[in-house]
């Protein structure tokens, strides 16, 4: 406080003028109104501290000696009491006299650089800083902040009430409860909070952070190692879901919400192998309905035809489900028929899908569908639709010659099997020949014919007459040589070698390399060397 004494005399006209810097009088005030909230704030600061404004813009030397004295006296008057008391009493009195004579206002805006923070607004003009907002936009921004604060207070109250309900606390005589309506209101509240945060700060809130159901889970984000050569840029939504997956897997939680989490991640990345394994573990732990899971899986499979993880998951489901129906022949038949119908549907989309055919072989063996007429008929339909479908030919061979009643355990597919019935071998030889006639240059039925003869323990010479009809005038000049199937000529080479006629076998292989299959001349020459 200034020392008490007589009232200070009114300042002279020349002294009163010192409250306004002389340098500011030389330049007329700008008529341009402030465009941003930062400019408005600076204008108000300059008005309350005119000497500081001149000093900031032009330096202390721009002030006259009297103005410098007044500026220093103003700084002294605005300092805290403990700082003023360090100045000698005599000096204090002199400074207070100057303050009183200049009529300097003791109250002024605080002189410091305002840190406005970032704002997500298209009207920002200063690198995303709130200070770059127009005065109108700043008003809207401030209203959003107030709204966000109110929503955060209400959300905090919801979480506290829910925690009280979990602890079993009471309000009066009634227990504290959180209803479904309360949860729905909180979801809507968080959705609005997310929208406001995005408008204010450009922050995108993930779907799991918005769901009160996941409040008790602390997500584990993925951290790339220092100096990683290629840092994967995961989408924000996917990264958030995976961080929650890590958390629930670490705690070994098996629940309905975890099942829904796996479904969400599979929709974004169906090839995530770990998610499929975790989903299978959840289904087994909760003893969920396998047929219901199969219905869901069918939709995913049709949308992701080449996905291996889907079919491995299906294997696990069947392994888990089959023991529950193994003693019920009717239930097993119904399940097999349902699977056949789905496989027919998906093979109509991609008839050579390796994963599907691999699963089909597994299913036949698992359910014992060897004698199911529908299975063989389905394969025949696919071969009729495309005689070059090697996958269908392979499955037919498996279905016919791996039948437990018609095969010997431990005998490889390429080895003779005495258990193979002669009538079955005859039927399959005839079937292969019929399909060869349709497309002689198609390798699949030729391989099938060779495999059937070997499996039946028969000589390849049984097919010599049939193969010869596709090779005319071999080795004869004058353009009389004609080969309509290089696979027939290949089989004839094997037949002649089997009979010991190396000269004719060599001729077949030589003509394949010289004319009829020159692209593989190196292979045919190697085969010729093998004859000796």
């Amino acid at each position: 406080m200034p020392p008490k004494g007589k009232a200070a005399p009114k300042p002279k006209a020349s002294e009163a003028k010192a409250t306004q810097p002389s340098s500011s009088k030389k330049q007329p005030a700008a008529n341009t109104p402030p465009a941003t909230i930062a400019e408005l704030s600076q204008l108000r600061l300059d008005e309350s501290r005119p000497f500081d404004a001149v000093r900031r813009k032009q330096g202390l030397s721009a002030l006259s000696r009297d103005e410098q004295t007044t500026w220093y006296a103003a700084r002294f008057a605005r300092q805290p009491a403990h700082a003023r008391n360090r100045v000698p009493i005599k000096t204090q009195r002199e400074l207070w006299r100057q303050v009183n004579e200049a009529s300097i206002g003791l109250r002024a805006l605080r002189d410091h650089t305002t840190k406005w923070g970032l704002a997500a607004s298209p009207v920002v003009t200063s690198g995303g800083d709130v200070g770059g907002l127009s005065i109108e936009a700043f008003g809207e921004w401030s209203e959003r902040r107030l709204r966000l604060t109110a929503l955060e207070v209400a959300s905090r109250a919801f979480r506290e009430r829910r925690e009280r309900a979990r602890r079993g606390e009471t309000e009066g005589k009634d227990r504290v409860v959180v209803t479904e309506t309360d949860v729905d209101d909180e979801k809507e509240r968080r959705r609005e909070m997310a929208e406001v945060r995005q408008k204010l700060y450009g922050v995108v809130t993930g779907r799991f952070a918005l769901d009160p159901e996941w409040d008790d889970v602390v997500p584990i984000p993925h951290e790339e190692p220092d100096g990683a050569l290629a840092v994967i840029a995961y989408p924000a939504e996917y990264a958030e879901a995976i961080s929650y997956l890590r958390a629930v897997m670490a705690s070994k939680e098996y629940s309905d919400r975890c099942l829904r989490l796996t479904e969400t991640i599979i929709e974004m990345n169906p090839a995530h192998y770990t998610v499929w394994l975790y989903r299978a573990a959840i289904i087994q732990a909760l003893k969920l309905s396998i047929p219901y899971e199969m219905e869901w899986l069918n939709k995913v499979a049709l949308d992701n035809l080449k996905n291996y993880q889907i079919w491995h998951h299906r294997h696990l489901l069947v392994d888990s489900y089959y023991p529950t129906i193994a003693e019920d022949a009717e239930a097993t038949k119904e399940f097999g028929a349902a699977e056949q119908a789905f496989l027919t549907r998906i093979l109509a989309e991609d008839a050579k899908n390796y994963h599907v055919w691999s699963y089909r072989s597994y299913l036949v063996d698992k359910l014992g569908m060897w004698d199911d007429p529908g299975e063989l008929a389905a394969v025949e339909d696919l071969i009729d639709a495309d005689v070059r479908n090697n996958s269908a030919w392979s499955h037919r061979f498996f279905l016919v010659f791996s039948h437990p009643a018609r095969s010997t355990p431990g005998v490889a597919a390429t080895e003779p099997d005495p258990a193979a019935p002669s009538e079955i071998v005859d039927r399959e030889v005839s079937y292969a020949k019929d399909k060869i006639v349709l497309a002689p240059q198609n390798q699949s039925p030729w391989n099938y014919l060779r495999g059937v003869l070997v499996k039946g323990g028969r000589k390849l010479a049984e097919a010599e007459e049939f193969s010869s009809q596709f090779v005319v005038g071999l080795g004869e000049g004058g353009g009389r040589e004609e080969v309509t199937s290089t696979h027939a000529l290949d089989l004839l080479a094997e037949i002649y070698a089997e009979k010991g006629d190396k000269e004719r076998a060599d001729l077949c292989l030589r003509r394949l390399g010289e004319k009829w299959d020159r692209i593989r001349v190196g292979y045919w020459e190697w085969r010729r060397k093998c004859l000796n």
Side-chain angles (χ1 to χ4, degrees):
M1 293 296 294
K4 295 182 179 180
K6 297 180 181 179
K10 293 183 179 180
K12 299 177 182 179
S14 59
E15 294 175 346
K17 293 178 182 177
T19 58
Q20 292 295 329
S22 58
S23 58
S24 66
K25 302 171 189 174
K26 298 176 183 178
Q27 301 176 359
N31 295 324
T32 305
T36 66
I37 191 63
E39 293 177 4
L40 177 61
S41 178
Q42 188 63 53
L43 177 62
R44 290 174 176 174
L45 176 64
D46 292 346
E47 289 175 348
S48 66
R49 296 172 177 268
F51 295 106
D52 287 342
V54 174
R55 178 175 174 274
R56 177 174 54 82
K57 296 177 182 177
Q58 304 178 30
L60 188 60
S61 61
L63 298 174
S64 66
R65 186 176 183 82
D66 291 340
E67 289 170 346
Q68 291 180 13
T69 302
T70 304
W71 169 74
Y72 182 77
R75 288 195 62 187
F76 165 77
R78 291 166 182 159
Q79 286 181 346
H82 65 85
R84 293 197 302 264
N85 290 338
R86 290 198 294 266
V87 179
I89 297 298
K90 185 177 180 180
T91 305
Q92 288 189 40
R93 289 174 180 172
E94 178 62 24
L95 290 172
W96 278 117
R97 184 186 65 78
Q98 293 175 2
V99 169
N100 291 334
E101 288 178 354
S103 300
I104 297 174
L106 299 183
R107 293 183 178 180
L109 296 178
R110 184 175 298 174
D111 186 10
H112 71 282
T113 303
T114 302
K115 295 181 180 180
W116 298 93
L118 299 179
S121 173
V123 296
V124 170
T125 58
S126 57
D129 188 76
V130 174
L133 294 174
S134 67
I135 298 173
E136 294 78 7
F138 180 76
E140 297 176 2
W141 187 84
S142 300
E143 290 179 2
R144 290 195 183 105
R145 285 192 65 187
L146 292 174
R147 178 57 180 165
L148 179 60
T149 301
L151 291 170
E152 288 175 341
V153 170
S155 181
R156 189 180 303 113
F158 167 83
R159 292 194 296 271
E160 291 175 354
R161 182 176 181 82
R162 184 179 56 185
E163 186 60 31
R164 292 176 60 198
R166 288 175 178 172
R167 292 196 299 262
E169 296 184 7
T170 60
E171 289 180 343
K173 297 181 179 180
D174 299 327
R175 292 189 60 178
V176 177
V177 296
V178 176
T179 65
E180 290 294 329
T181 302
D182 295 334
V183 175
D184 292 339
D185 291 343
E186 174 65 10
K187 289 181 179 179
E188 179 61 25
R189 188 182 300 116
R190 294 190 184 186
R191 184 195 62 77
E192 185 179 354
M193 289 166 59
E195 291 179 358
V196 175
R197 284 197 185 99
Q198 185 171 9
K199 291 178 181 178
L200 282 174
Y201 311 114
V203 176
V204 178
T205 306
R207 58 180 292 185
F208 293 96
L210 295 176
D211 193 343
E213 184 181 21
W214 292 94
D215 284 351
D216 61 314
V217 177
V218 179
I220 303 176
H222 174 67
E223 296 182 359
E224 293 283 0
D226 295 337
L229 293 178
V231 179
I232 301 176
Y234 294 107
E237 183 181 4
Y238 179 75
E240 184 202 26
I242 291 297
S243 66
Y244 277 87
L245 176 72
R246 294 190 190 96
V248 294
M249 288 185 65
S251 62
K252 297 182 180 180
E253 177 184 338
Y254 304 108
S255 62
D256 290 336
R257 70 175 182 179
C258 293
L259 188 69
R260 294 193 298 272
L261 173 62
T262 62
E263 183 174 347
T264 299
I265 297 175
I266 287 170
E267 288 176 358
M268 293 186 283
N269 182 12
H272 198 303
Y273 188 72
T274 304
V275 177
W276 284 105
L277 291 178
Y278 183 49
R279 184 178 180 89
I282 294 172
I283 292 171
Q284 185 175 5
L286 299 182
K287 295 180 172 54
L288 300 179
S289 170
I290 300 298
Y292 181 81
E293 175 71 4
M294 297 286 267
E295 289 181 10
W296 172 82
L297 190 62
N298 290 350
K299 299 176 183 178
V300 179
L302 288 169
D303 292 334
N304 303 274
L305 296 176
K306 295 295 187 179
N307 186 295
Y308 165 73
Q309 286 77 11
I310 291 174
W311 296 97
H312 181 260
H313 184 66
R314 205 176 192 95
H315 273 246
L316 297 179
L317 293 177
V318 175
D319 284 341
S320 177
Y321 182 60
Y322 178 69
T324 65
I325 61 173
E327 303 300 326
D328 188 340
E330 188 62 27
T332 302
K333 183 178 180 180
E334 290 180 2
F335 178 72
E339 286 297 275
Q340 280 181 329
F342 172 69
L343 294 177
T344 298
R345 181 182 177 186
I346 201 167
L347 286 174
E349 300 288 337
D350 182 5
K352 299 179 181 180
N353 191 318
Y354 168 78
H355 306 308
V356 179
W357 284 108
S358 177
Y359 172 77
R360 188 163 200 157
S361 299
Y362 155 81
L363 190 70
V364 167
D365 186 40
K366 188 71 175 181
L367 303 185
M369 300 168 62
W370 304 103
D371 294 319
D372 188 335
E375 185 67 15
L376 188 61
V379 175
E380 290 183 354
D381 289 342
L382 287 166
I383 292 176
D384 289 341
D386 180 9
V387 73
R388 294 173 175 81
N389 190 338
N390 190 61
S391 298
W393 282 103
S394 297
H395 186 71
R396 182 184 179 94
F397 192 87
F398 168 79
L399 193 64
V400 173
F401 294 105
S402 295
H403 192 301
R406 301 195 293 263
S407 62
T408 303
V411 176
T414 56
E415 296 177 349
D417 190 345
S422 179
E423 62 274 14
I424 296 296
V425 173
D426 292 339
R427 184 193 71 184
E428 296 304 304
V429 167
S430 177
Y431 181 82
K433 289 179 178 180
D434 290 343
K435 300 305 178 184
I436 288 173
V437 173
L438 297 176
Q441 195 54 24
N442 175 25
Q443 188 175 8
S444 296
W446 284 104
N447 287 342
Y448 190 83
L449 174 62
R450 183 186 285 104
V452 170
L453 292 173
V454 171
K455 180 61 65 175
R458 300 182 181 184
K459 297 291 186 180
L460 296 179
E462 288 191 18
E464 181 178 359
E465 182 179 354
F466 173 77
S467 302
S468 298
Q469 63 181 305
F470 302 99
V471 179
V472 177
L474 185 65
E476 298 180 8
R480 298 174 58 185
E481 183 182 85
E482 182 178 357
V483 176
T484 56
S485 174
T486 58
H487 308 298
L489 190 54
D490 181 16
L491 182 58
L492 284 173
E494 291 189 51
I495 292 172
Y496 295 144
E498 180 185 74
K499 296 169 63 175
D501 191 347
K502 294 184 179 181
E503 183 177 349
R504 298 187 65 183
D506 182 79
L507 176 61
C508 293
L509 296 174
R510 179 164 54 81
R511 293 305 295 157
L512 280 168
E514 291 175 346
K515 181 176 182 180
W516 299 108
D517 192 12
R518 296 182 62 185
I519 193 69
R520 294 194 297 167
V521 60
Y523 170 72
W524 300 121
E525 288 300 315
W526 173 79
R527 286 274 302 275
R528 290 181 65 193
K529 293 179 181 179
C530 291
L531 291 175
N532 298 321

